[in-house]
Structures are given as C-alpha cells and as structure tokens.
Amino acid sequence: MAALRARTVLLTGSNRGIGLELVKQLLGGPRPPAWIFATCRDPEGPRAQELRDLASRHPNLVLVKLDVANPSAIADAAKIVEGKLNGAGLNLLINNAGIYAQVSLETVDSEEMIRTYRTNAVGPLLMAQAFLPLLKKAARNSTEKGLSCSKAAIINISTVMGSIEKTSESFFKPVISYRCSKAALNMLTKCQALTYGEAGILCVALHPGWVKTDMGTQEADLTVDTSVRGLLSVLPVLSEKHSGNLLNWEGKVIPW
Ligand code: NDP
C-alpha cells in the first residue's frame, strides 16, 4: 500500500471523533508528518484533553485554536501556521469539522439551515481561501509530478448524505440542514478542483462511512479506527483522475 508522504498537515475539528483519530493514526504511521496542525475550537478546554496529552508526547503536533464558523479565527490561525512553517508550504488541508441536527422539512428553520451551512460549507470555503497561499507554496516546492496529497491537497470530509442521486436510500433520516450543507460542500469541492488544479492542488470530498462517533452514534457500522484506516489508505492513491470527486473510505467513487 502506498504511504502518505505529506510533510505538513492541518485538520479542523480534531479534538474528538474522526478528526482526533486522524491525528492519532497520522502520528503513529510509518512516516509521520514533520508538522501536524490539529485545530479545534477550544484547545485549552476539557474536550481537548486527549489532544493535549498527545501534544505533550509528540513535538510535531501543534494545537491551534480555530472555529471554522468564525472568519477572523480562520485568518488568525492561518497567520499562526504560516509563522510556524517558517517558509515551508502546507501539503494537506483536511476540512473535517462538521455539525449535524435531526431536523425534517417540517421542523427545520432558517437559523438551523444557516448555522449548519456556515460550519459545513462556508467554513471549508474560507479555510481553503485562507490557506491557499501555503498550499500553493507546497505545490511549487514539490518535485512530484501530477496531483497528490503528498504535494498539495484539500480534502473535504463530506458524506453520502450530500449525494442527490443517493438521497432516497437514506431518506428515513431527513436531516435537511445537514444534507443541503454537504451537497453544497460537494459542489464546492468540484469548483475548487476546477480552480485550484492549475496551481497543482488536488481537491477531493471523502465520505468516511457511517462511523461510531458522537455524530454517528454507537449504532453506526464502522469503528472510528476502521474508517480512519480506510481514509488514510485512500489519501496516498488519490491523483488528478480523482480530483473533483466524492469517494468513500474504501476509495470507491460515489455519484453526486
Ligand atoms: P463529531 O460530532 O464526533 O465531531 C465533530 C468535530 O467537529 C468536533 O471536533 C467538533 O468540535 C468539531 N466542530 C464542530 N463545529 C465546529 C466549528 N465551528 N469549528 C471547529 N470545529 C467544529 O463528528 P465526526 O467525527 O463523526 O464527524 C467528522 C466529519 O465527518 C464531519 O464533517 C461529518 O459530517 C463527517 N461524517 C461523519 C459521519 C459519521 O457517521 N460519524 C458520516 C459521514 C460524514 P467541538 O468538540 O468543539 O464541538
């Protein structure tokens, strides 16, 4: 299996669930990145204790405060990361943070639609804008041919629930605000791929499966360990032929 050779990685929502497991498995992998920027809303708070414990044992793990729903927090985080990278670029941006609410067409309101859209779709858009100079720098500095996660990539953690073609298979859970926000994230991924490809940046949306986390609940199919192992084995094989697509944790393309 190909190994991920990204030297610098940044993740959002990394204090629990899939984000935290991504940090753990990246740190424990055969070629851990030189820098992992694990961002979360409250790195000093009780919900980031595991992340702080990891940072105390791994000098390549840097905790950065970042609320993806707050544009000025995104800009501040980009400045901190740029300073820490000291002239190097960012190989891999993983937009993982997300929220989910059990609302139907009858119960959803405008506030809930906008709240979820701001985190799940606008957040990843602003993250890519803010970190674009660092991603471009990584692409320019790379000797790799073509597009890859080892060179420069934006990975948007999406879901099959944002696939319009697949909606009827899971509509017993309407989750309207979540579905609409992730359909927007899927569209964003396509637009990013068409725009940023020229600069050498791969853009892919990944569905992690139905995973046992606070969001997925303990009824879910996959352990977080299995899902993240899958995601991390898909990342190294992604290339220009995948850019602008939605794939699952096994690397299979999901129709939009
Ligand atoms: P969890 O609810 O377990 O964790 C969500 C993470 O996102 C937390 O770290 C949370 O931080 C963070 N977060 C939420 N809002 C913000 C924000 N405004 N700024 C920064 N961080 C934020 O979810 P999962 O780990 O299960 O989900 C991770 C991603 O995977 C999401 O994008 C989700 O949509 C996607 N996904 C998950 C599936 C599943 O079955 N679990 C299925 C398909 C997709 P805090 O602790 O501060 O709240």
Side-chain angles (χ1 to χ4, degrees):
M1 189 201 303
L4 183 66
R5 284 174 288 109
R7 302 312 294 144
T8 54
V9 180
L10 184 141
L11 308 95
T12 62
S14 53
N15 58 308
R16 59 191 171 96
I18 293 168
L20 178 63
E21 186 64 23
L22 278 165
V23 171
K24 286 184 188 168
Q25 293 193 22
L26 281 167
L27 286 169
R31 282 199 59 176
W35 290 113
I36 300 175
F37 298 97
T39 76
C40 64
R41 287 196 272 205
D42 185 12
E44 308 296 328
R47 292 207 323 183
Q49 185 60 53
E50 238 185 301
L51 209 46
R52 288 198 297 278
D53 292 346
L54 283 170
S56 69
R57 298 197 302 275
H58 297 275
N60 55 338
L61 178 61
V62 181
L63 272 48
V64 180
K65 186 176 170 69
L66 175 52
D67 178 342
V68 300
N70 178 348
S72 67
I74 293 177
D76 291 348
K79 280 192 205 114
I80 292 169
V81 171
E82 186 183 10
K84 196 83 189 167
L85 284 171
N86 196 22
L90 179 68
N91 298 121
L92 182 56
L93 165 62
I94 305 182
N95 284 313
N96 163 74
I99 53 174
Y100 174 98
Q102 294 282 2
V103 285
S104 65
L105 280 175
E106 288 72 35
T107 58
V108 73
D109 60 18
S110 68
E111 237 164 70
E112 166 51 29
M113 283 300 288
I114 288 164
R115 184 183 78 96
T116 303
Y117 195 80
R118 186 176 288 129
T119 298
N120 293 1
V122 181
L125 165 81
L126 298 181
M127 286 294 296
Q129 284 180 339
F131 287 91
L132 189 61
L134 291 173
L135 288 160
K136 282 185 173 173
K137 192 179 277 186
R140 276 196 308 272
N141 292 347
S142 170
T143 53
E144 295 218 5
K145 297 235 180 330
L147 303 183
S148 74
C149 287
S150 304
K151 183 177 181 175
I154 298 168
I155 299 296
N156 293 323
I157 303 296
S158 187
T159 167
V160 68
M161 288 200 168
S163 160
I164 293 170
E165 193 170 323
K166 292 273 181 187
T167 305
S168 50
E169 291 175 20
S170 60
F171 201 56
F172 57 93
K173 283 184 186 174
V175 292
I176 295 300
S177 52
Y178 185 69
R179 283 183 191 278
C180 293
S181 69
K182 292 289 190 173
L185 179 63
N186 290 347
M187 174 56 88
L188 173 70
T189 308
K190 188 68 162 188
C191 296
Q192 288 174 326
L194 291 172
T195 308
Y196 299 150
E198 265 180 28
I201 303 167
L202 174 115
C203 304
V204 165
L206 287 183
H207 166 57
W210 184 23
V211 191
K212 294 183 201 296
T213 62
D214 294 339
M215 184 186 290
T217 77
Q218 289 309 303
E219 284 170 38
D221 295 331
L222 300 175
T223 64
V224 73
D225 175 75
T226 304
S227 165
V228 169
R229 260 176 223 295
L231 293 172
L232 289 180
S233 64
V234 170
L235 294 184
V237 300
L238 295 177
S239 70
E240 44 279 5
K241 73 174 181 197
H242 304 104
S243 204
N245 276 300
L246 169 65
L247 283 80
N248 74 5
W249 80 104
E250 294 174 308
K252 294 193 184 117
V253 174
I254 298 175
W256 294 122

